[in-house]
Amino acid sequence: QQPVQSPQAVILREGEDAVINCSSSKALYSVHWYRQKHGEAPVFLMILLKGGEQKGHEKISASFNEKKQQSSLYLTASQLSYSGTYFCGILYSSASKIIFGSGTRLSIRP
Amino acid sequence: DARVTQTPRHKVTEMGQEVTMRCQPILGHNTVFWYRQTMMQGLELLAYFRNRAPLDDSGMPKDRFSAEMPDATLATLKIQPSEPRDSAVYFCASGEDWDTQYFGPGTRLTVL
């Protein structure tokens, strides 16, 4: 089952913060986050394994809430380079295959 | 700077023709993935290999699609016969198991 991402789109001014959520109807094994710029390939951001850990990458971090079956991606003090579509991909077990959400389009304006 | 390479980058063909897409994964990666991306369906996993063995190809239409990995430096995805609904961007990615996946630039396929 495809994870649900919210919001579908968000527009920010440079320097503002954003949160993108990825929700599942079943227990998750891991969550993967990717960013894709228009006309380019997806680029890996981070992976989170079940356990509620939080990871960081520059000013982009993410959390994994096992109880809520949800992961959130946090972008702080957004930069123009953060624009793109963010996808979460989930695995339900170590033996399952990845299923991607439909993406969240993030636009950053100067 | 190791990268995944894909050829061709663009392909326009007519319905019914055979299409072959090629991918050279990053040396040392044990897992190779094939994805298809369309506006309607988003990013879909078609098939993946680990240590050159096909592990899952349930994401692709078996009657017309086939994926192979003849050696560690080459993965292929074939469509025969192609149909207009196959028009999409096809990405190859490689990595270590389900860890970081490095995507190639993609093959944009248009079937007329």
Side-chain angles (χ1 to χ4, degrees):
Chain A
Q1 286 176 322
Q2 188 179 39
V4 177
Q5 285 189 236
S6 62
Q8 289 185 322
V10 60
I11 300 173
L12 298 176
R13 287 200 178 275
E14 203 173 0
E16 292 181 336
D17 302 340
V19 180
I20 299 171
N21 297 307
C22 175
S23 299
S24 167
S25 58
K26 299 195 308 183
L28 297 171
Y29 173 77
S30 67
V31 180
H32 305 220
W33 285 99
Y34 286 81
R35 176 173 61 209
Q36 185 177 27
K37 293 187 179 289
H38 183 69
E40 299 181 7
V43 173
F44 169 79
L45 294 176
M46 65 190 77
I47 296 175
L48 299 101
L49 299 177
K50 64 178 182 180
E53 64 177 289
Q54 183 149 350
K55 279 195 168 185
H57 178 79
E58 297 176 344
K59 292 182 181 176
I60 302 173
S61 62
S63 63
F64 185 175
N65 189 319
E66 262 185 272
K67 263 189 177 179
K68 290 185 178 180
Q69 296 170 177
Q70 175 179 293
S71 177
S72 296
L73 186 71
Y74 306 95
L75 300 101
T76 57
S78 57
Q79 306 169 14
L80 293 175
S81 61
Y82 289 178
S83 293
T85 300
Y86 289 78
F87 292 97
C88 69
I90 59 174
L91 273 76
Y92 291 116
S93 74
S94 61
S96 69
K97 61 182 183 181
I98 197 166
I99 304 173
F100 283 95
S102 56
T104 294
R105 182 173 294 179
L106 176 66
S107 301
I108 311 290
R109 295 184 173 173
Chain B
D1 188 22
R3 297 184 183 189
V4 174
T5 58
Q6 289 185 247
T7 57
R9 294 292 309 276
H10 302 273
K11 176 73 176 179
V12 179
T13 191
E14 292 189 347
M15 183 173 63
Q17 296 298 305
E18 177 178 304
V19 175
T20 298
M21 291 170 269
R22 294 178 174 80
C23 166
Q24 183 172 3
I26 293 173
L27 197 63
H29 283 176
N30 69 351
T31 310
V32 176
F33 307 84
W34 281 106
Y35 290 93
R36 175 171 63 185
Q37 187 174 40
T38 61
M39 288 294 292
M40 293 299 294
Q41 300 295 329
L43 199 57
E44 303 172 277
L45 178 65
L46 297 176
Y48 71 101
F49 296 78
R50 183 159 296 144
N51 298 319
R52 294 177 54 203
L55 285 193
D56 191 319
D57 61 1
S58 60
M60 61 185 196
K62 301 281 193 315
D63 57 337
R64 299 185 300 108
F65 284 58
S66 62
E68 295 180 347
M69 202 162 172
D71 62 61
T73 64
L74 177 64
T76 62
L77 180 67
K78 288 186 182 179
I79 308 174
Q80 169 63 20
S82 57
E83 297 180 2
R85 59 180 168 154
D86 300 329
S87 297
V89 180
Y90 290 81
F91 289 107
C92 171
S94 72
E96 289 292 321
D97 300 319
W98 285 111
D99 284 345
T100 308
Q101 293 185 38
Y102 295 88
F103 281 72
T107 294
R108 183 175 293 275
L109 174 66
T110 303
V111 183
L112 303 174

